[in-house]
Amino acid sequence: MDTEQPTAEIPTEPVILPRAEHTISRKQIDENSLKVLYRLRRHGYKAYLVGGGVRDLLLGRTPKDFDVGTDATPNQVKKLFRNCFLVGRRFRLAHIRFAGGSLIEVATFRRQATEEDRPEDPSLNPFYAENLFGTPRQDAFRRDFTINALFYDIEDFSIIDHVGGLRDLRDQRLRVIGDPLVRFAEDPVRMLRALEFVARLGFSLDETAREAIYLRSALIAEAAPARLREELMELFRHKVAGHVFANAQGLGLLEYIIPGYQAGPGTLALLDAIDRRTAAGQPVTESLVLAALYYEIFSAGLVAAGDLPIGEVLGRAAKLLIPHCLHFHIASGIRHQAAELLVGCYRLQRGPGRRGQQRFVRHPSFAAALAFYQLCCEAGQGDVELLSAWRQSLTETPKEAPRKRPRRRRRRRKPASSPSQS
């Protein structure tokens, strides 16, 4: 369907919510964003706060960042701000930098390309469709989800809704703008982002979007691995990885995000435990994520193999992780840290009192392995009594006294011979 044709879900005219009928105040908006908005307005351009910032403010949440939409072109924005840098070859954006590391992203309103816009030789301008400037309404219809297409007008402090986003916020529903089958084919990563927003906001997923994810899931394998890697880490930073992985697997999406991967129930429980840990204020690292994704598979393989030398266990861990790391271009250092977590859990699972325990306890990776094993226990993937025994053994393990450096003996200098002796 044409995404600019109104339907029963999309109003034919924009819904404008005046200042008296919404809760957004300028006091809630970043000071540097206001500077950008006001300067654009003073020079005769339209300037709106756009996207997730407006959504979060209406939901009573603190936005991660604030983005600005305008009818000024990127070059016109650059002329207004000395601290502006144009970025992006495919999609030109203006980045305005302020003291303290603050960055405000300014995007010019775009529109969908038509057949008339297509150049005779697209190879000479492969990104022509990404930089066709348009009206605010045309720009709203290019966005992904209705709740992300709301505008806050700095001129009269109203909320402008072209696509029914206000109604969907009220109904706590995530809905794609236009035909989900078409929009997911345009950018398959939108399928993963849809599941992320549902988990983060506690919304329901529109049934047409759910069906489209099921039908279009294989397309996400065409997305750049680097982009998918970052999107996956965002799930952990937002504390929704367990929820999203479960939904992605249920819809047949996960096996295309991570080629051939299936998350067992123990893995999903472990991801939930990591989300709870992150929500409690503990930072999440990629090595921890990597170890968690493969711990259940790793443990099952070792149970079948029986007691093995540590060197062979480390080799098995590395071999298990290598295909994932090669696909997502993950550095060998991160892979090694994840392998150490897996091997550390294997040693913990064998219990204290074994040969080499003191050396293991003093190893730099021990504390991280013990913390990871605690997460495994919370997820039902470890032995709580063993965890307690290891903690008890720490109080009983004598600390190795620091070695004293041997005192260096100074050599006596030979007395200089006197002139009379020469």
Side-chain angles (χ1 to χ4, degrees):
M1 85 183 224
D2 184 348
T3 57
E4 294 194 31
Q5 289 298 317
T7 68
E9 298 283 357
I10 297 176
T12 55
E13 296 293 332
V15 174
I16 299 177
L17 204 62
R19 173 64 186 92
E21 296 180 21
H22 66 78
T23 58
I24 296 181
S25 166
R26 279 172 292 171
K27 295 178 182 179
Q28 300 170 286
I29 301 173
D30 171 72
E31 179 182 358
N32 292 326
S33 300
L34 290 174
K35 289 179 182 177
V36 173
L37 290 166
Y38 279 125
R39 184 175 296 184
L40 287 166
R41 288 299 305 169
R42 283 199 305 270
H43 286 81
Y45 300 110
K46 288 186 174 68
Y48 299 154
L49 199 66
V50 300
V54 181
R55 176 202 68 219
D56 287 343
L57 288 174
L58 288 171
L59 291 173
R61 294 167 169 253
T62 301
K64 182 179 68 173
D65 48 39
F66 294 93
D67 295 331
V68 172
T70 181
D71 58 355
T73 66
N75 286 326
Q76 289 171 331
V77 175
K78 185 172 176 59
K79 288 180 180 179
L80 292 181
F81 298 90
R82 288 184 300 174
N83 51 337
C84 175
F85 303 87
L86 300 186
V87 299
R89 183 183 171 206
R90 176 176 179 178
F91 194 88
R92 296 291 281 171
L93 295 168
H95 281 181
I96 303 176
R97 301 182 185 276
F98 292 89
S102 173
L103 185 148
I104 308 301
E105 186 172 275
V106 181
T108 306
F109 299 132
R110 261 81 170 179
R111 63 178 174 84
Q112 294 280 14
T114 65
E115 193 59 35
E116 295 178 356
D117 296 313
R118 183 181 177 86
E120 292 184 7
D121 186 357
S123 63
L124 297 177
N125 183 13
F127 308 129
Y128 75 94
E130 303 294 336
N131 292 290
L132 297 171
F133 302 137
T135 66
R137 183 171 177 83
Q138 289 172 328
D139 186 81
F141 278 92
R142 290 186 77 257
R143 296 177 178 267
D144 48 9
F145 309 111
T146 60
I147 60 173
N148 292 342
L150 300 171
F151 300 151
Y152 173 82
D153 190 348
I154 197 62
E155 185 174 18
D156 59 8
F157 318 123
S158 63
I159 304 293
I160 304 172
D161 175 17
H162 294 277
V163 295
L166 288 171
R167 181 177 57 248
D168 290 334
L169 276 183
R170 185 175 60 248
D171 296 342
Q172 296 189 330
R173 173 180 62 165
L174 188 78
R175 186 165 55 86
V176 177
I177 299 172
D179 184 348
L181 290 170
V182 175
R183 303 312 302 276
F184 290 157
E186 290 173 353
D187 183 2
V189 177
R190 285 175 177 151
M191 293 184 281
L192 181 58
R193 288 178 58 79
L195 299 184
E196 178 189 344
F197 282 124
V198 164
R200 282 173 56 190
L201 303 176
F203 280 20
S204 63
L205 181 61
D206 185 67
E207 195 55 41
T208 59
R210 183 179 298 278
E211 181 68 19
I213 292 175
Y214 181 77
L215 295 173
R216 290 285 190 261
S217 57
L219 293 179
I220 204 166
E222 301 172 6
R227 186 179 175 200
L228 286 176
R229 175 186 175 186
E230 181 57 29
E231 291 288 342
L232 290 174
M233 285 305 300
E234 278 295 297
L235 301 181
F236 287 91
R237 296 183 191 114
H238 287 295
K239 293 93 59 184
V240 295
H243 190 290
V244 174
F245 268 69
N247 276 347
Q249 184 155 283
L251 291 169
L253 189 65
L254 185 58
E255 63 182 302
Y256 296 107
I257 296 173
I258 305 175
Y261 181 81
Q262 289 289 322
T267 299
L268 295 175
L270 182 52
L271 299 186
D272 284 332
I274 291 175
D275 287 336
R276 290 192 296 271
R277 178 178 179 266
T278 308
Q282 293 290 325
V284 63
T285 63
E286 193 167 18
S287 57
L288 176 69
V289 169
L290 189 56
L293 290 176
Y294 290 93
Y295 177 74
E296 189 174 14
I297 302 170
F298 175 74
S299 298
L302 290 180
V303 168
D307 202 6
L308 296 172
I310 295 302
E312 185 174 339
V313 176
L314 183 60
R316 284 176 174 242
K319 184 177 180 181
L320 179 63
L321 300 176
I322 281 174
H324 182 106
C325 293
L326 287 177
H327 179 74
F328 289 104
H329 308 292
I330 295 174
S332 59
I334 295 174
R335 186 189 73 224
H336 180 70
Q337 290 168 3
E340 283 195 328
L341 287 175
L342 294 176
V343 174
C345 282
Y346 171 76
R347 299 187 71 167
L348 292 168
Q349 189 70 28
R350 294 196 304 177
R354 298 178 70 97
R355 183 181 177 184
Q357 172 182 321
Q358 291 188 25
R359 187 169 62 251
F360 174 44
V361 168
R362 290 192 298 269
H363 195 276
S365 67
F366 176 78
L370 191 66
F372 180 56
Y373 190 66
Q374 178 179 337
L375 290 170
C376 296
C377 290
E378 292 174 13
Q381 295 293 295
D383 189 323
V384 178
E385 292 183 1
L386 268 181
L387 179 65
S388 178
W390 273 105
R391 286 179 170 160
Q392 179 64 28
S393 73
L394 290 179
T395 63
E396 300 170 354
T397 302
K399 293 185 177 179
E400 184 180 18
R403 295 180 179 179
K404 293 184 178 180
R405 286 187 174 184
R407 189 174 177 181
R408 294 181 61 184
R409 298 179 62 183
R410 292 186 179 180
R411 292 184 178 181
R412 286 188 176 184
R413 291 186 178 182
K414 293 182 178 180
S417 56
S418 58
S420 60
Q421 295 174 338
S422 58

